[in-house]
Amino acid sequence: MTPMPPMTGATPYESYVYAYPHKTAYRPLPERPELSALWADQPRDALSLYLHIPFCEVRCGFCNLFTRIGAPEGLTTAYLDALERQARAVRDALGDEEPVRFTAAAFGGGTPTFLTAAELERLCDIAEKAAGADLRAVPLSVEASPATATADRLAVLADRGTTRLSLGVQSFVPDEARSAVRPQKRAEVEAALAGVRDAAIPVLNIDLIYGMDGQTEASWRYSLDAALAWRPEELYLYPLYVRPLTGLGRRPADASSAGWDEQRLRLYRAGRDHLLAAGYEQVSMRMFRRADAPAEYAEGTGQDIEPGACQTDGMIGLGCGARSYTARLHYSFDYAVGMSQIRGIIDDYVRRPEADFARAEHGRWIDAEEARRRHLLQSLLQARGMPVSEYRERFGSGPREDFPAELAAFADRGWLVDDAELLRLTPEGLAHSDAAGPALFSADVRATMAAYERK
């Protein structure tokens, strides 16, 4: 294994690792491999399906996801047309020689509920009739915003089998939400939450963010208590990041100050302790699940959810911002954050004929070392940790043999539980997940990400 780069300890918030390797490590694939060949020897009886909708009513200041603001007349229809063409091409590539079965599904973005109720019906039809997923028989997770979680949309989602609805609230304090360029009225948020409960979707997740301008421990607790009043089955607590080419990233602020790191760590610990005391279990640094929640419904395949819940091999991603994973290749379409570039990629996507969706164009080949790193990273960032026997059974070697420097560095910092049978982060290690995760990146992935030209 290549040695890990030195851990400077400069910040506990190097980056949020929601996928490895990140799409900034993807490059054009000159060979444009056929999907039928890529999937020919892959297990296809327990696939995950992800449909990406790259539209939002407003783009939050912290957001670097692949999404555009609004849609000119006819664009959502054209996008769904292209999504259906892609779904048919991918389903044909999977073939019929071996059983093809999906065991989890998710709609993400962007904001899937940007679509109208009728368009959401069509989206479900594409997942079922073109891709071949039985949405009522598998966990189905859907992302939504307060403004778009309307009764008619929620009714469609509930009827079509949605088991988990994730609502991006971020803060119940209006001034804090505005500081993150997240304009929303408290009444709108409460109405959306009531709508989810009225729709009887089994799992409600609420996203909250800490580290915003003017946020204090008191205002953070206020948002936590406002969320807890709805007894959500899940809560995600995200640290605020200021990334290049985002709204907040264009502000002349010192985003790397030690004071901001201290604020985020302080608020994280306060939030963690408050949720633990309220009867929630910590699943990862970000995810907390109510102890009596129906966990069997919560497993989605959303690509911006925690690793381990969504990043396994056997992922079929549909849409121009979605990733697909075989054991040897991760692939997608071109990636951008800037709005004009995103518009161009979407415009190209909607013009593609069905035959163009039968090949992979952008991606990264995964060798044996990267597969080991990915498995260790995904497992270690979960609070339950990783059984050493599980790793050894899959790879024929032990994690301490393969990654001695990385694991020794974690142990020296007090981030790793000393257990021969289980690799698990300590509470302090979980708090520093956004430093531990990047420390497991290979030198080649780091170099490729650093060479990526932002657009």
Side-chain angles (χ1 to χ4, degrees), residues 57 181 290 393 450:
E57 74 273 16
V181 196
R290 209 178 73 208
E393 181 178 351

Side-chain angles (χ1 to χ4, degrees), residues 12 41 70 87 124 132 186 226 234 247 256 286 323 340 348 378 395:
D41 62 349
C124 293
R186 175 68 181 272
E234 294 177 6
S256 61
R286 289 165 172 74
R323 299 181 294 272
S340 62
D348 173 73
Q378 292 175 173
F395 298 110

Side-chain angles (χ1 to χ4, degrees), residues 314-335:
M315 164 74 74
I316 297 292
L318 303 177
C320 57
R323 299 181 294 272
S324 296
Y325 304 126
T326 71
R328 293 190 303 273
L329 179 69
H330 294 185
Y331 62 93
S332 183
F333 295 92
D334 199 6
Y335 173 70

Side-chain angles (χ1 to χ4, degrees), residues 413-437:
R413 289 170 177 261
W415 293 358
L416 198 63
V417 174
D418 185 10
D419 187 326
E421 301 302 323
L422 181 71
L423 282 181
R424 181 169 57 86
L425 293 178
T426 63
E428 193 63 15
L430 275 179
H432 288 79
S433 291
D434 287 1

Side-chain angles (χ1 to χ4, degrees), residues 28 35 41 64 71 155 204 241 243 257 291 319 357:
L35 300 189
D41 62 349
N64 72 338
L204 165 65
Y241 273 91
R243 301 175 174 99
S257 69
F357 292 120

Side-chain angles (χ1 to χ4, degrees), residues 49 83-92 94 102 122-133 318:
L49 180 66
L83 195 67
E84 185 169 359
R85 293 195 299 273
Q86 185 188 8
R88 288 197 303 261
V90 171
R91 182 62 188 82
D92 286 347
L94 292 175
F102 291 96
R122 188 179 176 198
L123 183 68
C124 293
D125 285 343
I126 291 169
E128 292 190 333
K129 298 175 183 178
L318 303 177

